[in-house]
Amino acid sequence: MDNGLFTRLIASELHLPEQGVGNTLKLLEEGCTIPFISRYRKERTGGLDEVQITAISERAERLAEIAKRKETIVKTIAEQGKMTPELEKRIDGCWEMTTLEDIYLPYKPKRRTRAQVAREQGLEPLATLLMMQRETSPERAAQRFVREGLTVADCLKGAQDIIAEQVSEDERSRQQIRAAFRREAFIESKVVKGKKDSDEAQKYSDYFDWEEPLKRCSSHRLLAMRRGADEGILRLHLTIDDDDAVDRLQRHYVRGTGACQRLVAEAVEDGYKRLLLPSIETEFMAQGKERADEEAIRVFAENLRQLLLSAPLGQKRVMGIDPGFRTGCKVVCLDAQGKLLHHEAIFPHPPVNHRMQATVHVKQMVKDYRIEAIAIGNGTASRETKEFIDEAMKCPTPNAQAPASNTQPAIPKIFVVSEDGASVYSASKVARDEFPDEDVTVRGAVSIGRRLMDPLAELVKIDPKSIGVGQYQHDVDQTKLKHSLDQTVESCVNLVGVNLNTASQHLLTYVSGLGPVLAKNIVEYRSANGAFTSRSQLKKVPRLGAAAYQQCAGFLRIPGATNPLDNSAVHPESYHVVEQMAKDQGCTVADLIKNKERREEIDVKRYVTADTGLPTLNDIMKELEKPGRDPREQIEEFEFDHSVQSIDDLQEGMVLPGIVTNITNFGAFVDIGVHQDGLVHVSQMADRFVSDPTQVVKLHQHVMVRVMTVDMRRQRISLSMKKVHSS
């Protein structure tokens, strides 16, 4: 990798300082992770954030791909004996893949085309004569190329085939048609004959006869149309004004009038319709798909970030309930660390209807396991189970004696938790390893309970595509999606920090510098030697060397450690700075953390060195103020409207409370408690223009919405947040 050239190219493209870009590339090359660079190497990067560093990393990877492609192209052209100094210079200076492929196209090995056959018949000189457009009689010129099996007409047709291919492979021709596509291309969607009235086609009814400018086609509409096409319901096509495009090309290639000019004009039109148009249409379809993928992945990643950073309840004793009707509700009791203490099934709903027995059992479990909060999954029977638990908690226990004092035990707080992906987790290897002796229903209930305690620690165990916060996640480029989502998980895990003594192997995998092997080694070391008491003990973990320690140490927390800095985001490489500060203040590090007045007396500029600058020192001071602080918000309780139980209860104009369950670039989906989320279109989110729904709402936000329309056939609910007070 040419760091100097890549630095200049990336700095120019991203409008970032060359020094910061160059140092970032060096750090990435040294194996540093993006969270580590953004958090602990601000002096070297000039304070670049995670988004900027990620962009630098991705652009460097793209440039490396182009560089590799150039090597193949140069080698192929050289082997053909067609490389010239000018051509090599053009290739060397090109860093845009489309242009590079245009340069290469005339030399690219291809299947046996009509033009190739004509060349093999020795007709290329005739094509050159025709293109010069000086011959008064093309037939007389073609007579010289007639041989056995070839007539004059055959020779002229072969020469036209060569011209058509030359036109289609010419850079200027391709750029001209690309410009037309960028300017005026329309995307058309038509329903396949005979599919219009089928039930599976109804979700695509908006696109049965649809047309719009390609440049204005949003990512979600393009992906929806492509999915319809993939399912054989729709046909997609890109169109431009063909007559105008042909006319422009002919004006470029045809000079004057005459027999030669007529043949060239015909060849140009053939080259456009048969070769150039399909090629550019395919290219623009692919580019449109790539842009749509990028947008869908961006929205998905942002939703995932918000979900992973959802407010945690914290270390409380929790009851997790996976609701159900016929099969009952699976109930688990967890201790404050999420360990499974007890599980059983209750049947408060029809058809069994053992409501009183279920009430007694729930109250007994709350008492026996000192339950502080109850998490109920939001799937089937969720509303009914929430109402049952509300009643059960208020109901006096049958045959219970009066309390000895007036002090009543605290009623656990009740929360409804998204159970998307819980079934995926319960059948996964991770769940089987955690609970080898329990069935999938118990594992699912445990996941629901743990999600309330710490969404991040639990959700990292599940494939992000199964957590229910994406749209079209199965239609986009799966490699790019996985890369983006893995980066998002890694970013969230390292932003929050991880308790070294309670973190699961799966959670540790995402810590900067670690991975499956080192995470497994840490858990095994912890099991064999007991809880870690200091970060430095990590160096004793097998295969965890100095480089991995440097990358991971700052993101791992040890509550109650001898050195209080081990439970903070201060990196061990900076401990000596804090120790010097404490020494200068005549106190211990612990005193410095506790005493705000002492910290305010510190002049951080005194501690600037060649290795430690003001960005790091300012970060240290913020961390000393609240060591190991959790950046996530506080969790809130929520209640649906009790008068609305199903979609049949909805009426236009109703104002209802809801929870944002998913955000797309065209709006937000809101759960209003009727087992079918409603859509607040982006145009209905505020009394002003909204370009990005994330500017107005966030995942799991509690909102008030107004029912606009209810489409019973398609089970679609349209909602509005305009002039409705939201929490």
Side-chain angles (χ1 to χ4, degrees), residues 231-481:
E231 293 178 8
I233 293 166
L234 304 175
R235 282 203 183 94
L236 303 186
H237 187 46
L238 294 184
T239 63
I240 60 171
D241 186 333
D242 289 336
D243 292 340
D244 182 62
V246 170
D247 184 56
R248 285 171 182 268
L249 283 173
Q250 288 176 336
R251 286 204 303 268
H252 179 72
Y253 287 101
V254 181
R255 298 182 296 279
T257 58
C260 268
Q261 285 83 351
R262 178 179 55 77
L263 290 174
V264 171
E266 289 174 359
V268 169
E269 183 172 2
D270 175 53
Y272 167 76
K273 290 183 176 177
R274 181 169 56 86
L275 302 170
L276 188 50
L277 177 62
S279 173
I280 301 300
E281 182 180 0
T282 300
E283 182 182 301
F284 268 71
M285 273 291 198
Q287 287 178 356
K289 169 70 162 58
E290 189 175 343
R291 284 194 297 271
D293 280 5
E294 287 173 359
E295 179 63 14
I297 290 170
R298 182 194 68 78
V299 172
F300 194 161
E302 178 55 33
N303 276 347
L304 178 62
R305 174 178 292 277
Q306 291 187 24
L307 185 64
L308 293 175
L309 296 179
S310 297
L313 180 68
Q315 293 190 327
K316 305 285 185 184
R317 301 174 75 88
V318 167
M319 175 183 288
I321 304 178
D322 186 358
F325 288 116
R326 183 180 56 80
T327 57
C329 300
K330 185 62 71 174
V331 183
V332 298
C333 298
L334 310 174
D335 70 11
Q337 283 70 47
K339 180 182 176 184
L340 177 62
L341 303 174
H342 173 77
H343 67 82
E344 65 178 83
I346 57 173
F347 298 85
H349 310 307
V352 180
N353 243 340
H354 289 168
R355 201 170 183 87
M356 183 52 71
Q357 184 185 69
T359 300
V360 172
H361 281 240
V362 167
K363 292 185 74 68
Q364 193 63 47
M365 284 185 275
V366 167
K367 178 184 175 185
D368 291 347
Y369 299 102
R370 306 195 305 284
I371 298 299
E372 298 170 270
I374 299 174
I376 301 169
N378 69 341
T380 304
S382 176
R383 285 289 301 270
E384 293 81 358
T385 303
K386 168 75 163 57
E387 289 170 4
F388 160 70
I389 292 294
D390 281 335
E391 290 175 13
M393 290 302 96
K394 296 170 186 172
C395 178
T397 305
N399 304 321
Q401 293 182 350
S405 68
N406 291 328
T407 305
Q408 295 287 336
I411 296 176
K413 291 187 175 182
I414 303 167
F415 301 89
V416 175
V417 177
S418 169
E419 62 180 49
D420 283 327
S423 59
V424 174
Y425 160 77
S426 62
S428 69
K429 184 179 182 302
V430 178
R432 291 196 302 273
D433 290 344
E434 281 193 284
F435 303 105
D437 301 323
E438 307 297 347
D439 66 25
V440 291
T441 59
V442 173
R443 296 172 192 159
V446 170
S447 180
I448 290 168
R450 286 178 173 176
R451 286 185 194 198
L452 176 62
M453 299 166 71
D454 190 342
L456 177 61
E458 194 60 23
L459 291 172
V460 294
K461 301 173 185 176
I462 303 169
D463 179 351
K465 287 190 294 183
S466 302
I467 316 180
V469 293
Q471 275 233 312
Y472 306 107
Q473 59 262 42
H474 300 290
D475 302 307
V476 302
D477 185 305
Q478 296 300 295
T479 302
K480 288 182 179 177
L481 177 64

Side-chain angles (χ1 to χ4, degrees), residues 97-110:
M97 192 66 91
T98 302
T99 305
L100 184 63
E101 293 297 339
D102 277 356
I103 296 171
Y104 178 44
L105 189 57
Y107 310 95
K108 188 176 184 178
K110 52 181 75 72

Side-chain angles (χ1 to χ4, degrees), residues 6-7 10-11 16-26 48 56:
F6 282 16
T7 295
I10 294 171
L16 295 172
E18 280 191 20
Q19 185 176 359
V21 172
N23 286 338
T24 299
L25 289 174
K26 287 175 189 172
L48 297 179
I56 292 169

Side-chain angles (χ1 to χ4, degrees), residues 189-207:
S189 170
K190 307 286 184 186
V191 65
V192 172
K193 191 174 181 181
K195 296 279 189 177
K196 186 173 184 179
D197 296 323
S198 65
D199 289 339
E200 64 267 22
Q202 293 313 303
K203 57 186 174 182
Y204 301 111
S205 59
D206 292 343
Y207 306 109

